[in-house]
Amino acid sequence: MKPAAFTYHDPKTSNEVIELLSQHEDAKILAGGQSLIPMLNMRFVVPDHVIDINGVKDLDSVFDNGESLEIGAMTRQSNLSKSHDVKTKTPIFLEALGNVGHFQTRNRGTLGGSLCHLDPAAEIPCLMAAYDAVMIAQGSNGLREIPFSEWPLAYMMPSLEPDELLIKVRVPYWRSHHGYSFVEFARRHGDFAIIAVAVLIEMDGKTISRASISVGGADIRPIRLFEAEEGLIGENLDVRVFKSAAEIARKVDAMSDAYVTSSYRQRLAATLVERALVQAAERVSRGENNA
Amino acid sequence: MPDYRNIKVVVNGVEHELDVETRTSLGDFLRQEIELTGTHLGCEHGVCGACTVLLDGEAVRSCLMLAVQANGHEITTVEGLAEEDGSLHPLQEAFWKHHGLQCGFCTPGMLTSLTAYLGENPEPNERDIREAISGNICRCTGYQSIVDAALDAAKKMRGE
Ligand SMILES: Cc1cc2nc3c(=O)[nH]c(=O)nc-3n(C[C@@H](O)[C@H](O)[C@H](O)COP(=O)(O)OP(=O)(O)OC[C@H]3O[C@@H](n4cnc5c(N)ncnc54)[C@H](O)[C@@H]3O)c2cc1C
Ligand code: FES
Ligand code: FES
């Protein structure tokens, strides 16, 4: 099994990538290859040109700008887990990344690749939705910032022009004492989630002052449960409050496929939202992630 | 029109310089060009783990990398795990002792994956090992003997 013939390019700068993208109509960017190469091998995608961005400089840095983490698109998933800034400022990443495939695929797979592939059940997009992260793309017309809420256009289709390259992602910090939890259910460790849930909470004294709940795997894109988030504000860390958030999750729009029905996904969403809230509450009470 | 590139790779300590067609996977390159057939290709789309090799010491799937991407890098395959005099790596020794293989198809991927894993995690428990090999499918052993072998090898490698 091998891909159909293509012309291989290995540009060294993002400008060269943009130039190649504008010159060639049928070109595919090759990042970690953990999703693209299977599709090339099976000839689901048959591009004339493959633009390998593994040699492009400055796309794999993790930079703490004081208010947010700026992560280069080519940062490998395994390196992200090892970053000190990620561990201390955005510890939920470690929990989410541990579920992205296997350690061998994380050694190649990148942050940007997952966000551009945009599998409905992928963990990284679910996390970016929870953070309202900003995607930064470079194209012939310069840089463009896209809030994550506008990033997924359709099933596995990010908001990228044909000549645009995702270069980095900006993840705004939550307060250093925040609660967090990423939980998912999959048949086997390392499989795509049937449902994944990311939760972030901030406290003002004994009451919740800010909350974010994102559900992945239910629909074609991660869903934020805004109604449930609002319901948490001003409340104590109380299981009854979490249960009413879970009831909202139970009504989430969910797909059916050959293996899993939509009602099963909805029940799972309710269970996992409650579980994630309980864990986030425990963590924020213990002040576990003092940065 | 076939697209060729000249690449230089070090495989198990030996440097190779040759022209490869750019669509050739690293796995096919190792088996067909370098003629090291220890690396097994099962699914060729990233799922089974049989094709795992070490790229600069890190475990990666050789079916999900192009050979041209290995230019300038060092690859270790299952053939490179034993010593030059033929004495087995502690993991290979433990697989032999615990019957960690039957047909042997998954074995190269298990050995390369676990070599990298134990290098970074010298004190794993059973759960850790099961998670580490969750991306390596074995149709024969039921995994128990592989887990036993890995735990035993980890002990030996710690000098216990
Ligand atoms: C066995 C296995 C299990 C997996 N399990 C999971 C899992 O549980 N959860 C999960 O989320 N993923 C999983 N994956 C996929 C994950 O490993 C990939 O890393 C990810 O989906 C794609 O990232 P990549 O860097 O490999 O991108 P590639 O495969 O190189 O690219 C993916 C797509 O994005 C485009 N692209 C990549 N980078 C850019 C960029 N900077 N700008 C514009 N376009 C770009 C490419 O053209 C391509 O269309 C699994 C993969 C395998 C093989
Ligand atoms: S052949 Fe590479 S993972 Fe199966
Ligand atoms: S020993 Fe036969 S597949 Fe594992």
Side-chain angles (χ1 to χ4, degrees):
Chain A
M1 204 158 74
K2 66 165 74 134
F6 51 71
T7 306
Y8 175 82
H9 306 266
D10 54 345
K12 298 287 175 261
T13 66
S14 49
N15 286 341
E16 285 174 56
V17 179
I18 310 303
E19 222 175 281
L20 286 164
L21 283 173
S22 356
Q23 279 164 9
H24 302 292
E25 212 150 85
D26 190 16
K28 265 282 171 199
I29 286 177
L30 173 61
Q34 304 301 292
S35 296
L36 180 60
I37 297 194
M39 296 192 297
L40 292 176
N41 286 353
M42 293 189 272
R43 304 199 179 186
F44 292 154
V45 217
V46 186
D48 293 333
H49 297 270
V50 168
I51 306 173
D52 182 356
I53 59 171
N54 284 273
V56 175
K57 282 187 199 68
D58 304 327
L59 284 185
D60 66 345
S61 60
V62 179
F63 175 67
D64 165 19
N65 76 7
E67 286 162 7
S68 44
L69 209 53
E70 294 186 5
I71 311 173
M74 273 306 288
T75 310
R76 309 261 180 220
Q77 292 147 9
S78 57
N79 289 341
L80 210 47
S81 305
K82 290 176 197 150
S83 150
H84 176 75
D85 286 326
V86 169
K87 279 184 194 156
T88 53
K89 308 276 185 9
T90 57
I92 190 175
F93 271 59
L94 303 190
E95 216 157 68
L97 288 165
N99 288 300
V100 180
H102 310 282
F103 80 99
Q104 301 98 326
T105 66
R106 292 193 291 271
N107 280 338
R108 296 294 295 168
T110 64
L111 176 84
S114 176
L115 286 164
C116 293
H117 187 63
L118 213 54
D119 190 288
E123 290 81 4
I124 294 171
C126 177
L127 195 57
M128 295 301 127
Y131 269 101
D132 286 318
V134 179
M135 311 290 112
I136 302 172
Q138 185 184 342
S140 313
N141 298 325
L143 295 180
R144 190 164 69 94
E145 299 201 350
I146 308 124
F148 187 83
S149 58
E150 294 166 22
W151 178 247
L153 292 181
Y155 178 67
M156 299 182 82
M157 189 195 279
S159 168
L160 269 184
E161 297 297 326
D163 69 343
E164 276 181 330
L165 171 73
L166 177 67
I167 56 163
K168 65 179 168 187
V169 173
R170 194 186 309 127
V171 183
Y173 294 142
W174 281 49
R175 210 187 280 164
S176 64
H177 294 269
H178 67 272
Y180 66 91
S181 175
F182 190 98
V183 292
E184 76 170 47
F185 184 78
R187 282 212 172 71
R188 183 178 65 137
H189 180 87
D191 283 1
F192 279 96
I194 295 173
I195 292 286
V197 172
V199 159
L200 298 164
I201 51 177
E202 269 178 15
M203 304 296 292
D204 192 356
K206 283 200 157 16
T207 59
I208 301 171
S209 57
R210 191 179 169 208
S212 176
I213 307 175
S214 165
V215 178
D219 203 356
I220 59 164
R221 71 197 85 194
I223 302 173
R224 278 282 295 275
L225 300 181
F226 295 115
E227 191 192 338
E229 293 169 9
E230 271 164 36
L232 291 171
I233 308 298
E235 298 287 347
N236 293 334
L237 296 173
D238 181 345
V239 179
R240 269 175 314 179
V241 178
F242 301 159
K243 283 202 188 300
S244 36
E247 285 318 307
I248 294 172
R250 198 183 297 280
K251 292 186 223 117
V252 77
D253 281 330
M255 334 176 257
S256 281
D257 57 36
Y259 303 104
V260 185
T261 60
S262 64
S263 67
Y264 181 82
R265 283 201 163 84
Q266 289 171 322
R267 285 168 61 185
L268 203 50
T271 304
L272 295 182
V273 162
E274 183 178 336
R275 213 176 272 174
L277 281 167
V278 168
Q279 189 175 44
E282 277 171 19
R283 284 180 171 148
V284 76
S285 318
R286 271 182 303 187
E288 206 170 79
N289 60 306
N290 301 350
Chain B
M1 222 189 29
D3 181 37
Y4 280 88
R5 284 279 178 109
N6 182 266
I7 64 166
K8 256 191 215 164
V9 260
V10 175
V11 182
N12 302 330
V14 180
E15 189 177 273
H16 298 266
E17 181 177 352
L18 63 171
D19 290 340
V20 290
E21 196 180 349
T22 52
R23 62 170 161 162
T24 310
S25 75
L26 177 60
D28 281 345
F29 168 78
L30 291 169
R31 290 178 57 87
Q32 292 167 12
E33 308 294 331
I34 312 282
E35 298 184 352
L36 288 175
T37 52
T39 300
H40 291 168
L41 293 169
C43 65
E44 298 181 69
H45 63 274
V47 175
C48 73
C51 68
T52 308
V53 299
L54 306 181
L55 169 75
D56 301 327
E58 291 196 331
V60 301
R61 299 204 178 321
S62 68
C63 69
L64 298 188
M65 243 186 98
L66 302 172
V68 60
Q69 294 185 291
N71 186 22
H73 294 275
E74 275 188 40
I75 305 291
T76 308
T77 67
V78 67
E79 289 95 339
L81 296 183
E83 300 292 328
E84 270 187 24
D85 67 2
S87 53
L88 296 180
H89 183 281
L91 254 173
Q92 292 172 309
E93 191 84 31
F95 265 62
W96 169 72
K97 188 173 146 204
H98 292 271
H99 302 286
L101 63 152
Q102 288 178 29
C103 80
F105 197 87
C106 68
T107 315
M110 290 285 180
L111 291 171
T112 47
S113 296
L114 284 166
T115 301
Y117 183 79
L118 294 181
E120 283 195 29
N121 307 275
E123 293 186 52
N125 58 30
E126 176 181 338
R127 222 190 129 88
D128 299 331
I129 297 292
R130 287 192 184 273
E131 187 176 319
I133 59 169
S134 64
N136 295 75
I137 294 175
C138 175
R139 294 281 85 150
C140 304
T141 62
Y143 302 98
Q144 189 56 50
S145 52
I146 295 177
V147 174
D148 292 344
L151 289 170
D152 193 20
K155 241 178 168 173
K156 294 259 155 56
M157 288 161 75
R158 291 196 300 264
E160 285 170 28

